[in-house]
């Protein structure tokens, strides 16, 4: 069996972290890595103990949600909070970092940015990464079968909850859940 590359492994970790995001506009995950070891991770969401966008909606000013701390910042702050050096580390992010996160990445001494999706790639952010000698590497991300199954199960749970909220007959919901379970069991058998 062939193992996945380090880049794909760490990118998968950033995508897993993204699933914890509480932002409704864009879920982002980030992992800081040094010497092939994850030293911190973050996702975009509100300050600890604060109101989350998924609960009350995004707080948008000038086209930006000001309630959200970006994934990259959360990962860098986690390193600062626990006294973990970021000098010479690398960061894996689901989306190309914004300008503010780019500046923090450079100041933290991170030497490479790996990202899987372009997202409003700011020309100035690209320029200062180049000036600072920070490598930019796009890593194509292919979700695993397990991740796709988890995403589908999450969507189904949400749909069943909506059906219950809309007073769909419990017997009808039970029939649909049974069908969904059968589909997942068949898929798992075909994978093995």
């Amino acid at each position: 069996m062939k193992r996945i590359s380090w880049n794909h492994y760490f990118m998968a970790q950033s995508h897993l972290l993204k699933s914890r995001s509480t932002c409704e506009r864009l879920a982002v995950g980030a992992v800081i890595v040094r010497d092939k070891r994850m030293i911190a991770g973050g996702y975009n969401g509100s300050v600890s103990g604060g109101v989350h966008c998924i609960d009350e909606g995004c707080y948008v000013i000038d086209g930006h949600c000001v309630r959200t701390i970006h994934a990259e910042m959360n990962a860098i702050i986690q390193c600062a909070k626990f006294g973990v050096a970021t000098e010479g580390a690398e960061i894996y992010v689901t989306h190309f970092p914004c300008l503010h996160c780019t500046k923090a990445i450079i100041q933290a001494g991170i030497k490479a940015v790996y990202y899987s999706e372009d997202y409003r790639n700011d020309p100035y952010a690209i320029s200062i990464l180049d000036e600072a000698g920070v490598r930019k590497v796009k890593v194509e991300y292919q979700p695993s079968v397990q991740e796709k199954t988890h995403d589908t199960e999450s969507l189904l749970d949400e749909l069943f909850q909506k059906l219950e909220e809309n007073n769909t007959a419990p017997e009808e919901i039970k029939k649909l859940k049974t069908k969904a379970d059968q589909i997942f069991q068949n898929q798992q058998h075909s994978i093995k």
Side-chain angles (χ1 to χ4, degrees):
M1 179 172 138
K2 184 180 174 189
R3 298 192 306 171
I4 65 172
S5 70
W6 284 113
N7 282 348
H8 287 98
Y9 173 74
F10 292 125
M11 192 56 71
Q13 299 300 318
S14 72
H15 278 267
L16 182 60
L17 277 161
K18 156 182 144 164
S19 68
R20 291 283 304 155
S21 172
T22 60
C23 182
E24 293 185 315
R25 299 178 73 191
L26 180 69
V28 179
V31 176
I32 299 177
V33 173
R34 191 177 51 241
D35 300 324
K36 303 288 186 246
R37 301 288 180 262
M38 292 177 279
I39 60 173
Y43 52 87
N44 55 334
S46 301
V47 295
S48 297
V51 173
H52 293 280
C53 298
I54 58 173
D55 299 326
E56 293 191 11
C58 291
Y59 181 25
V60 179
I61 297 177
D62 295 330
H64 298 283
C65 179
V66 296
R67 176 177 285 138
T68 301
I69 300 170
H70 291 188
E72 303 92 323
M73 294 297 281
N74 268 326
I76 292 168
I77 291 166
Q78 188 179 73
C79 286
K81 186 175 183 178
F82 294 106
V84 178
T86 54
E87 184 70 33
E90 301 171 316
I91 191 166
Y92 289 78
V93 192
T94 56
H95 296 76
F96 192 86
C98 73
L99 177 57
H100 295 295
C101 289
T102 297
K103 291 188 277 185
I105 287 166
I106 293 168
Q107 288 300 99
I110 293 172
K111 65 180 181 181
V113 174
Y114 298 87
Y115 64 99
S116 63
E117 295 181 45
D118 291 303
Y119 182 73
R120 300 180 183 174
N121 301 23
D122 186 283
Y124 184 61
I126 294 167
S127 170
I128 62 175
L129 285 169
D130 290 341
E131 287 173 21
V134 177
R135 286 190 338 268
K136 304 172 302 300
V137 180
K138 187 168 184 177
V139 177
E140 296 298 327
Y141 176 69
Q142 294 296 324
S144 68
V145 172
Q146 291 87 354
E147 289 173 280
K148 290 178 186 176
T149 300
H150 173 68
D151 290 346
T152 304
E153 288 173 340
S154 295
L155 175 62
L156 284 173
D157 287 343
E158 189 176 331
L159 291 171
F160 288 134
Q161 183 178 352
K162 295 285 184 197
L163 289 171
E164 288 171 5
E165 289 170 3
N166 289 322
N167 298 320
T168 302
E171 325 60 72
E172 186 63 27
I173 293 173
K174 187 176 179 178
K175 285 180 192 175
L176 292 170
K177 284 183 178 181
T178 301
K179 281 184 180 179
D181 287 342
Q182 289 171 345
I183 291 169
F184 281 116
Q185 286 174 358
N186 291 339
Q187 285 178 345
Q188 288 175 347
H189 289 297
S190 68
I191 292 168
K192 294 176 183 177

